[in-house]
């Protein structure tokens, strides 16, 4: 019997102090809790206003940098960034601004996607940041997923989480703990992404 190949779900994030990375790793856990699905963690390099500033070709820690082939090979995408004045970080925006070839070829069209974020303050723009990350995904023709209120932690969390996507209140110095509610909602989002990808594959 021929073994069905696993579906690859791309978890693409940018993280400066580690909070968004924790969310990405929890989403990966949710993805890999679904049989037949693998998580692929990727990040983007920082950008700088100083033209001679450079990042290493390979990150010192964490996930490798994303490449065009990661977008082509994925069956779905989870996109994460810390908030910057209610918007995604410039490093993530810079990456998406360079994806016109993938937009033209439609490599992401029809694939499921979700978003996640972390903030320094409790009301620091989590929801607007999540919405800002949805915009390029919609232009790429992706199918956006949120978190339904059937996830009980949405009604009790005081540390992050929204119907628009997973989130975490990290604190100004990333000193707020990554709570069980934040972790559970991130895992649930990854699981929902993987389950949806499987259903979409089965319908083609």
């Amino acid at each position: 019997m021929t073994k069905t190949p696993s579906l690859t779900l791309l978890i693409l994030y940018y993280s400066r102090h580690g909070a968004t990375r924790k969310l990405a790793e929890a989403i990966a856990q949710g993805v890999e809790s679904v049989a037949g699905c693998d998580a692929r963690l990727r990040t983007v390099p920082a950008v700088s206003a100083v033209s001679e500033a450079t990042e290493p070709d390979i990150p010192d820690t964490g996930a490798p940098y994303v490449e065009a082939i990661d977008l082509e090979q994925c069956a779905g995408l989870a996109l994460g960034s810390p908030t910057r004045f209610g918007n995604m970080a410039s490093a993530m925006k810079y990456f998406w601004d360079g994806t016109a070839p993938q937009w033209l070829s439609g490599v992401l069209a029809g694939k499921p996607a979700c978003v996640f974020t972390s903030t320094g303050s409790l009301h620091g723009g989590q929801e607007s940041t999540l919405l800002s990350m949805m915009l390029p995904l919609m232009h790429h023709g992706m199918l956006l997923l949120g978190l339904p209120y059937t996830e009980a932690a949405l009604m009790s969390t005081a540390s992050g989480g929204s119907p628009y996507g997973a989130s975490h209140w990290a604190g100004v110095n990333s000193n707020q703990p990554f709570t069980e509610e934040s972790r559970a909602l991130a895992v649930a989002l990854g699981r929902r992404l993987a389950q949806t990808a499987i259903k979409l594959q089965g319908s083609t």
Side-chain angles (χ1 to χ4, degrees), residues 1 21 32 38 50 53 59 89 92 109 127 166 180 192 194:
M1 180 182 291
R21 178 179 171 182
E32 296 192 339
D38 292 322
V50 182
M92 187 58 75
E127 292 183 350
E180 179 55 32
R192 190 166 196 235

Side-chain angles (χ1 to χ4, degrees), residues 177-192:
F178 190 53
T179 66
E180 179 55 32
E181 289 91 350
S182 292
R183 190 198 70 80
L185 289 169
V187 170
L189 187 62
R191 184 168 54 245
R192 190 166 196 235

Side-chain angles (χ1 to χ4, degrees), residues 46-198:
V47 297
S48 173
V50 182
S51 60
E52 64 269 23
T54 59
E55 289 287 296
D57 292 336
I58 300 173
D60 295 328
T61 60
Y65 293 134
V66 67
E67 298 179 5
I69 195 169
D70 294 314
L71 299 180
E72 296 165 11
Q73 293 179 344
C74 75
L77 168 69
L79 179 64
S81 168
T83 186
R84 295 291 185 266
F85 300 105
N87 207 330
M88 75 177 92
S90 58
M92 187 58 75
K93 179 68 164 56
Y94 183 82
F95 168 77
W96 285 103
D97 285 349
T99 60
Q102 290 74 33
W103 170 70
L104 287 168
S105 60
V107 298
L108 293 173
K111 296 178 180 180
C114 60
V115 292
F116 58 100
T117 192
S118 63
T119 54
S121 58
L122 183 58
H123 302 291
Q126 290 188 1
E127 292 183 350
S128 62
T129 300
L130 294 169
L131 292 169
S132 79
M133 287 189 289
M134 291 180 184
L135 298 179
L137 304 184
M138 292 181 75
H139 278 265
H140 275 274
M142 302 197 81
L143 308 175
L144 296 176
L145 303 173
L147 274 168
Y149 277 96
T150 51
E151 297 297 336
L154 272 183
M155 296 299 292
S156 61
T157 179
S159 60
S162 81
Y164 307 105
S167 63
H168 169 53
W169 171 37
V172 175
N173 298 310
S174 294
N175 56 355
Q176 292 294 329
F178 190 53
T179 66
E180 179 55 32
E181 289 91 350
S182 292
R183 190 198 70 80
L185 289 169
V187 170
L189 187 62
R191 184 168 54 245
R192 190 166 196 235
L193 177 67
Q195 290 170 339
T196 302
I198 286 178

